C-alpha cells in the first residue's frame, strides 16, 4: 500500500510559478513510476507529467512543467512556470508499478497505469 500527500498548491497570477510536492509513504516495492495529473472543474482528469524510478521524466509541456524527484525523501516535485488561467485545476499525485518498461514512452499517459492516488492540491491561476 502507498500513501501520497500533495502540497504546494495555491493562488498565483498568470505568468507566475509554483512547485508542487508529493510525499510518498508505505511499501516502496508497490510503485516504480510517479505522475502528476490534474482535473479542472467539469473536466476529465488529464496527465501532466510522469517520472520513472530511474529518473526518466515525461511531460505534456516541457517548456513549463518539469517533474523531478528526491528518492532519499521519497518526494516527487512538479515545477510549474509561466502559469496560465487554464492551468487552474486540482493537481493529483499518482503512483503505479510497471512490470516492464517496453512501450512506457507511450503508456505513461494512460491514467490506468497508476493505482495509488493522493487527495490533491488546488492550483488557481488568475489573469
Amino acid at each position: 500500500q502507498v500513501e501520497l500527500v500533495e502540497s504546494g498548491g495555491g493562488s498565483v497570477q498568470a505568468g507566475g510559478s509554483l512547485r508542487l510536492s508529493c510525499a510518498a509513504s508505505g511499501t516502496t516495492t508497490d510503485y516504480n513510476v510517479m505522475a502528476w495529473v490534474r482535473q479542472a472543474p467539469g473536466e476529465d482528469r488529464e496527465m501532466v507529467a510522469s517520472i520513472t524510478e530511474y529518473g526518466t521524466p515525461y511531460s505534456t509541456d516541457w517548456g513549463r512543467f518539469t517533474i523531478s524527484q528526491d528518492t532519499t525523501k521519497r518526494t516527487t516535485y512538479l515545477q510549474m512556470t509561466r502559469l496560465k488561467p487554464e492551468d487552474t485545476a486540482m493537481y493529483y499525485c499518482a503512483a503505479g508499478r510497471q512490470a516492464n518498461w517496453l512501450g512506457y514512452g507511450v503508456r505513461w499517459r494512460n491514467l490506468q497505469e497508476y493505482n495509488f492516488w493522493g487527495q490533491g492540491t488546488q492550483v488557481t491561476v488568475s489573469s
Side-chain angles (χ1 to χ4, degrees), residues 38-41 84-91 122-126:
R38 70 185 183 184
Q39 186 170 24
K84 306 173 183 178
E86 51 263 44
D87 295 319
T88 295
M90 185 70 78
Y91 283 71
Q122 178 68 37
V123 171
T124 302
V125 185
S126 58

Side-chain angles (χ1 to χ4, degrees), residues 27-92:
T27 307
T28 58
T29 55
D30 281 350
Y31 68 98
N32 56 13
V33 292
M34 299 290 293
W36 285 97
V37 175
R38 70 185 183 184
Q39 186 170 24
E43 302 290 332
D44 294 333
R45 290 190 180 186
E46 63 174 358
M47 176 60 67
V48 176
S50 178
I51 190 165
T52 73
E53 62 178 339
Y54 304 109
T56 304
Y58 300 86
S59 177
T60 58
D61 190 338
W62 288 106
R64 299 193 306 126
F65 298 148
T66 304
I67 189 169
S68 63
Q69 63 188 3
D70 184 335
T71 55
T72 64
K73 297 180 179 179
R74 300 183 65 185
T75 300
T76 304
Y77 304 98
L78 182 68
Q79 180 68 50
M80 304 187 293
T81 61
R82 293 186 285 137
L83 284 163
K84 306 173 183 178
E86 51 263 44
D87 295 319
T88 295
M90 185 70 78
Y91 283 71
Y92 297 92

Side-chain angles (χ1 to χ4, degrees), residues 1-4 27 30-31 93-97 114-118:
Q1 188 68 21
V2 179
E3 292 187 355
L4 305 172
T27 307
D30 281 350
Y31 68 98
C93 181
R97 180 157 186 83
Y114 309 92
N115 51 349
F116 300 106
W117 293 81

